[in-house]
Amino acid sequence: MKAIILCGGQGTRLREHTETQPKPMVRIGERPILWHIMKLYAHYDIIEFILCLGYKGHVIKDYFLNYEARNSDFTVEFGQSAVKYHGSTHDEYGWRVTLVDTGEAAMTGARVKRAARYLGDADQTFCVTYGDGLTDANLSELVKFHQSHGGLGTVTGVRPPSRFGELKVRGQRIAKFSEKPQVSEGVINGGFFVFERGFLDFLSNEDDCVLEREPLEHCAAMNQLFVYPHAGYWQCMDTHRDWEQLERLWRSGDAPWKVWI
């Protein structure tokens, strides 16, 4: 199974980090958030990726073109254009990464449609996610759920963390203080999708095709869209405050999304 990852947005609300790089390349610890997302998929044996590039896509291309060299000892033989690697210090063996220029101005639906040509003929089921969200959701269970209902699409429904501390008050006394608790009611699109190939018919190549608008709305209206509820950890990186929180968790050694060893 392949995972399409949307990496083309400009990340305007994270401008402190995205003036010189696309948002998926913003680092959590020593690695881009994109790497963290891919490690999550790889933990569940999904190691074929299609990256939809747009804004400053060359930065992502350079990162993966040089990935083996940055994480290996190697010998260069001049005049032969030959490089011999002597063993890697990474665990990303077997990853297959296809980088697709899907346009500077394209919206999410158009990006998926343009990248879909790199799905093989046998790839009837595929994953899609954004390049800025992390979770501890069991992606194998997500795929099993999708396959069980027979519909065209599944979206992971999550309860977002509150951006403000919650006060439970008795009279004038605070009975309980909870810093940024998880919202207890209502779910939102957590950005981890599974689709059947037939869903691609709802998408167009036009720049203004937004995955979350007509395509998903149409799919839902046809009773072909299902929700996989996830009550565990989920966090997107929209703002500098979000980045600070993710960075703090990673540095603490207790990052909830790090399900790999």
Side-chain angles (χ1 to χ4, degrees):
M1 190 175 294
K2 295 182 176 68
I4 295 176
I5 305 180
L6 294 159
C7 302
Q10 295 190 17
T12 54
R13 287 186 288 178
L14 201 64
R15 188 56 73 187
E16 302 95 328
H17 301 270
T18 57
E19 287 285 356
T20 59
Q21 63 185 347
K23 183 159 59 162
M25 291 303 294
V26 174
R27 292 176 181 266
I28 306 298
E30 301 302 321
R31 304 279 192 165
I33 190 172
L34 175 59
W35 177 89
H36 292 259
I37 296 167
M38 295 167 77
K39 287 290 283 188
L40 175 65
Y41 274 103
H43 179 70
Y44 295 104
D45 297 323
I46 298 174
I47 59 173
E48 293 197 50
F49 304 97
I50 302 172
L51 308 185
C52 302
L53 309 183
Y55 173 73
K56 297 191 182 299
H58 66 278
V59 177
I60 301 178
K61 285 185 175 181
D62 290 346
Y63 179 77
F64 285 102
L65 277 174
N66 294 297
Y67 194 87
E68 198 73 43
R70 289 180 179 182
N71 292 279
S72 306
D73 294 335
F74 62 89
T75 299
V76 179
E77 185 175 352
F78 293 104
Q80 301 297 320
S81 299
V83 179
K84 181 179 180 181
Y85 295 101
H86 302 296
S88 300
T89 58
H90 66 77
D91 297 319
E92 290 73 64
Y93 298 105
W95 284 21
R96 185 181 180 91
V97 186
T98 301
L99 299 104
V100 187
D101 184 356
T102 54
E104 189 85 13
M107 303 303 287
T108 49
R111 294 192 189 281
V112 173
K113 184 73 169 183
R114 294 170 187 178
R117 66 183 182 272
Y118 293 102
L119 293 171
D121 293 338
D123 296 317
Q124 295 302 312
T125 306
F126 61 96
C127 299
V128 173
T129 196
Y130 306 120
D132 63 355
L134 295 168
T135 185
D136 63 355
N138 186 315
L139 301 186
S140 290
E141 293 301 318
L142 166 63
V143 171
K144 288 179 183 177
F145 172 80
H146 171 80
Q147 293 170 335
S148 73
H149 61 62
L152 289 178
T154 298
V155 56
T156 301
V158 300
R159 292 186 174 91
S162 171
R163 291 191 177 273
F164 305 98
E166 179 183 45
L167 305 180
K168 292 190 177 180
V169 180
R170 292 176 185 167
Q172 293 182 325
R173 186 183 300 275
I174 295 176
K176 182 179 179 181
F177 179 85
S178 180
E179 176 65 6
K180 298 178 184 176
Q182 194 175 58
V183 174
S184 59
E185 295 183 3
V187 295
I188 64 169
N189 166 23
F192 287 82
F193 303 93
V194 186
F195 293 117
E196 293 301 304
R197 199 179 189 91
F199 177 77
L200 295 173
D201 294 338
F202 298 153
L203 304 176
S204 81
N205 275 305
E206 300 300 319
D207 275 353
D208 62 357
C209 177
V210 180
L211 173 68
E212 302 81 5
R213 297 285 178 84
E214 186 176 344
L216 285 177
E217 290 170 0
H218 188 187
C219 191
M222 293 179 62
N223 298 316
Q224 290 292 310
L225 187 63
F226 293 77
V227 61
Y228 174 78
H230 175 59
Y233 179 83
W234 175 87
Q235 178 66 57
C236 64
M237 190 180 66
D238 273 343
T239 66
H240 183 72
R241 178 186 292 180
D242 296 333
W243 172 80
E244 287 182 325
Q245 181 182 355
L246 294 171
E247 179 75 4
R248 184 166 55 251
L249 284 169
W250 184 258
R251 295 293 185 186
S252 74
D254 193 30
W257 67 88
K258 188 182 181 300
V259 297
W260 62 90
I261 298 176

